[in-house]
Amino acid sequence: MIITTIKELRAYLDTQRKSGKTIGLVPTMGFLHEGHLSLIRRAKAENHIVVMSDFVNPTQFAPNEDFESYPRNIEHDEQLATDAGADVIFYPSVEEMYPNGSSTFVEAEGDITKVLCGASRPSHFKGVTTVVAMLFNIVQPQKAYFGQKDAQQAAVLIKMATDLHMNIELIVCPIVREEDGLAMSSRNTYLSANERAQAVILNQALVKAKTIFENGEHNVPNLIKTITDKITEMPLADIDYVSIYEYPSLKTIETVKEKALAAVAVRFGKTRLIDNIILEK
Amino acid sequence: MIITTIKELRAYLDTQRKSGKTIGLVPTMGFLHEGHLSLIRRAKAENHIVVMSDFVNPTQFAPNEDFESYPRNIEHDEQLATDAGADVIFYPSVEEMYPNGSSTFVEAEGDITKVLCGASRPSHFKGVTTVVAMLFNIVQPQKAYFGQKDAQQAAVLIKMATDLHMNIELIVCPIVREEDGLAMSSRNTYLSANERAQAVILNQALVKAKTIFENGEHNVPNLIKTITDKITEMPLADIDYVSIYEYPSLKTIETVKEKALAAVAVRFGKTRLIDNIILEK
């Protein structure tokens, strides 16, 4: 069932809540793949009612980014989400979420939003925290589900929910990969056949770093060099960043002490892909 | 009953909610006067349970302002609030609301936070919207009550709640005044006897403007001049601003069309007082 207005969604959810149902929220930008579906299945296993939001959020795109061309397919999304267990697909217009005059934002300040994707996309996380805060206020779920693929996004949202004392449990689910290891992403659809073939290097480089890490290499610059060298084997790969930070604080480290995030962003032509892996002693 | 931790407050409110009780929130910075008590009484008339928060919020004070010296008296507050109908006084520490590392803020951008008090207190409303968003997340009330004395604050908070789709009704209650017309304020306690006597001019000037407005003077500069001239009759009055804006948008106007806010901020010695009146055709 697709619902497009906040008013209708609230009316539906109020009825559910009054009969004691719990609500799980899966925020997405649509163009669903197996990664999203894994979140919906998890949410359905843990809640009576699952709301999947399907909204390409303009405030998390910079003017030069792919907001207009971001892939959309609501009919396909509705079928996939419903089959995976979603009770409602919340599919609002931009005007419904950001009516004329809307100018209130939620922002996690500090290093956590300035490193990694925050460095090359400076206003991105402000848009993400704002739209997720809106969705939390609209749906008022007990639990909300996010993918580890967007590891920094998950860390930023957990910080937002903690700092603002939101009464919602945020659950981060594992990355879902294609058979050859490429992390699933709606943006994979942009890749040419050549780019698609070479994009597998992201996962391969991260797995290699994890292997040497487990064999005793805990020095961050050495681990970064291993990943960088591996990715540059592919001629079409144009590195945006290769970084390792303490996780989930995203603080700078020289040596991995307990738990770290190794994360990469790499362009193949016009397509910017991200991937990551957790290094844990 | 005083509760100091978020965890205990949530446990108490969850129990109330499960038995079908509605919750009203009255956010205050304590040092209660009749203005606050009028909000509590209204909240008690409209909700089963009333939570009054009593928290001097550091993020809405600039470093040069009176955060440290702001008057506090929790024992007196507890008695007054309870007598007026509050079921819980939520009295958290700064550390409870802003634990180490907290750095997420809610901000209403645009003119509404830049005019009036926003001009002389540029970070003030960012602190207000952040702490009120936190209190909304903690208490999850159906209704929240604010005073018209802080007219701009009320307009900003209504904007925040609207923009972020918060499922809470904000209710703005009339200014409560001393017998001679001075708007009640915790900061009135700072005034010397001389200052206190002269401070009555704020209300007198606003009432004079309202009278000539009702007699047909709708020109904003003329109305502002009337208020300014009246206030400057008092030698201790040091005007911060005398302004008239469309209400509640706080847009600039040259002529009052339908509804406007006439607002003043005036220093008497070190004490900055605000007052306002609505001009409505």
Side-chain angles (χ1 to χ4, degrees), chain A residues 114-249:
Chain A
K114 292 198 177 69
V115 298
L116 299 169
C117 290
S120 50
R121 307 182 73 188
S123 63
H124 172 66
F125 288 111
K126 182 176 175 183
V128 171
T129 42
T130 298
V131 78
V132 172
M134 287 177 174
L135 290 167
F136 284 0
N137 288 331
I138 293 166
V139 177
Q140 299 182 273
Q142 277 76 39
K143 296 178 182 179
Y145 299 81
F146 300 91
Q148 176 66 20
K149 160 88 177 338
D150 300 301
Q152 185 178 15
Q153 172 177 282
V156 169
L157 290 172
I158 289 170
K159 178 177 174 52
M160 170 188 79
T162 305
D163 285 357
L164 296 184
H165 307 294
M166 292 173 169
N167 198 12
I168 296 170
E169 185 183 351
L170 273 66
I171 293 162
V172 184
C173 302
I175 298 177
V176 178
R177 299 182 178 280
E178 305 286 355
E179 277 192 19
D180 65 0
L182 179 66
M184 293 207 183
S185 166
S186 305
R187 288 189 173 99
N188 291 349
T189 189
Y190 296 152
L191 298 169
S192 71
N194 251 350
E195 290 165 350
R196 171 66 187 82
Q198 297 194 15
V200 72
I201 199 69
L202 271 60
N203 180 237
Q204 289 175 1
L206 291 167
V207 168
K208 184 172 180 186
K210 190 176 169 73
T211 304
I212 68 165
F213 172 80
E214 287 170 350
N215 290 331
E217 178 60 88
H218 298 155
N219 177 274
V220 166
N222 292 349
L223 288 163
I224 287 177
K225 186 170 185 311
T226 299
I227 299 169
T228 306
D229 288 350
K230 185 76 184 163
I231 292 175
T232 48
E233 284 176 11
M234 290 298 179
L236 296 178
D238 173 19
I239 293 177
D240 179 358
Y241 63 74
V242 173
S243 302
I244 296 178
Y245 289 98
E246 187 180 82
Y247 191 77
S249 71

Side-chain angles (χ1 to χ4, degrees), chain A residues 6 10 96-97 99 101-109 126 130 134 137-138 140 159-160 163-167, chain B residues 6 10 96-97 99 101-109 126 130 134 137-138 140 159-160 163-167:
Chain A
I6 295 167
R10 280 214 174 110
E96 181 76 5
M97 293 294 280
S102 169
S103 64
T104 303
F105 293 91
V106 179
E107 187 168 15
E109 299 182 358
K126 182 176 175 183
T130 298
M134 287 177 174
N137 288 331
I138 293 166
Q140 299 182 273
K159 178 177 174 52
M160 170 188 79
D163 285 357
L164 296 184
H165 307 294
M166 292 173 169
N167 198 12
Chain B
I6 295 166
R10 281 216 174 109
E96 180 75 7
M97 294 293 281
S102 169
S103 64
T104 303
F105 293 91
V106 178
E107 186 168 16
E109 300 182 358
K126 184 177 174 182
T130 299
M134 288 178 173
N137 288 331
I138 294 166
Q140 299 181 273
K159 177 177 174 52
M160 170 188 79
D163 285 356
L164 296 183
H165 308 293
M166 293 174 168
N167 198 9

Side-chain angles (χ1 to χ4, degrees), chain A residues 21-43:
Chain A
K21 303 279 176 67
T22 60
I23 297 160
L25 171 67
V26 181
T28 82
M29 297 211 301
F31 211 75
L32 302 184
H33 52 65
E34 198 51 40
H36 301 105
L37 303 181
S38 73
L39 302 180
I40 296 172
R41 287 189 204 105
R42 170 89 183 262

